[in-house]
Amino acid sequence: MKQIAFLLLSGMLMLTSCNNNKPGDTATITSSDGKEKITVDPKQMQDAVMDMEKQKDELSKLSPLSMDQLKAMIPEILMSAKRTNYEANTAMGASVATGEYELNDSTRITLNIYDCAGPAGAGIYGLQYLGLLNVQQENDEEFTKSIDFNGGKAFEQCDKTTNDCTFTYFSGGRFLVTLEGEHIGIDALMQAAKGLNIK
């Protein structure tokens, strides 16, 4: 996965320097061992990069929420499961609140809400969200793909063998929301996301 992320970032840099892609063209990037491939739409990616710069500038101008404000956004109940643990912290200037929910003995969801306000938060927005938009990647063990969700873009990542999945989307013009599920499919995580009201 790290290798694919590196290929993707390299591809983004190449695509932003080229402006002669025809609409509908796609590019496939293959890992050095030939086992993993990702398909990207250069035109969509170029547009996303331009939008990213605008959005990052706007986010950089916003004032981050306090830890208490961010922590208050973590719901007590998610998918009928009571919150078992929650916290908020700041890492390298970016704030995140986390809540954990146990649906049963083997199934758990972790909710992370990142405040993308301020320079550090805007960096999180660029690295963890926009870097994966318009990407399709799949091999025998896992897949990553972007989808339309709530009027914007979201991306899904799943381990096919364990059914451990992650669903990530941008909400409220400033929050990066990630739902990580252990032994729970992507459809259930999407339903959980639809039940959240993060603004």
Side-chain angles (χ1 to χ4, degrees):
M1 190 70 182
K2 289 181 180 177
Q3 189 175 30
I4 287 294
F6 174 76
L7 288 170
L8 175 60
L9 290 174
S10 300
M12 284 180 70
L13 292 173
M14 288 187 301
L15 293 170
T16 55
S17 64
C18 299
N19 195 17
N20 58 357
N21 295 310
K22 296 177 183 176
D25 285 351
T26 59
T28 301
I29 303 170
T30 306
S31 63
S32 58
D33 60 8
K35 292 183 179 178
E36 292 187 78
K37 292 183 179 181
I38 57 170
T39 302
V40 296
D41 183 324
K43 176 75 170 81
Q44 285 185 357
M45 188 170 282
Q46 185 177 353
D47 292 344
V49 169
M50 292 174 68
D51 290 342
M52 172 183 72
E53 289 306 317
K54 292 177 187 174
Q55 184 71 52
K56 279 180 70 176
D57 287 344
E58 293 303 314
L59 288 168
S60 295
K61 296 172 188 173
L62 298 176
S63 297
L65 297 180
S66 69
M67 289 291 101
D68 288 339
Q69 287 174 309
L70 195 57
K71 195 173 176 180
M73 297 177 72
I74 300 293
E76 289 188 24
I77 296 177
L78 183 66
M79 292 185 69
S80 302
K82 209 169 180 184
R83 185 180 62 212
T84 56
N85 185 32
Y86 76 120
E87 64 178 323
N89 59 66
T90 301
M92 295 172 26
S95 301
V96 60
T98 301
E100 294 179 359
Y101 306 84
E102 289 187 13
L103 280 66
N104 55 48
D105 290 342
S106 62
T107 307
R108 175 181 312 186
I109 295 177
T110 301
L111 168 65
N112 296 297
I113 304 173
Y114 296 86
D115 184 4
C116 296
I124 293 288
Y125 169 78
L127 288 173
Q128 294 193 21
Y129 177 63
L130 290 172
L132 285 177
L133 292 183
N134 301 310
V135 173
Q136 308 293 324
Q137 176 265 326
E138 185 167 7
N139 59 34
D140 291 340
E141 298 174 352
E142 62 184 7
F143 71 83
T144 300
K145 65 179 179 178
S146 60
I147 63 164
D148 294 322
F149 180 75
N150 282 356
K153 287 287 188 179
F155 66 87
E156 310 169 342
Q157 293 177 296
C158 278
D159 184 312
K160 295 178 181 178
T161 56
T162 63
N163 208 25
D164 292 348
C165 297
T166 301
F167 185 72
T168 303
Y169 66 101
F170 191 64
S171 183
R174 68 182 288 161
F175 300 108
L176 181 64
V177 182
T178 301
L179 292 149
E180 301 171 12
E182 293 180 26
H183 310 297
I184 186 168
I186 199 68
D187 291 339
L189 292 181
M190 285 179 65
Q191 285 304 314
K194 287 176 182 176
L196 295 171
N197 187 23
I198 298 172
K199 294 181 180 178

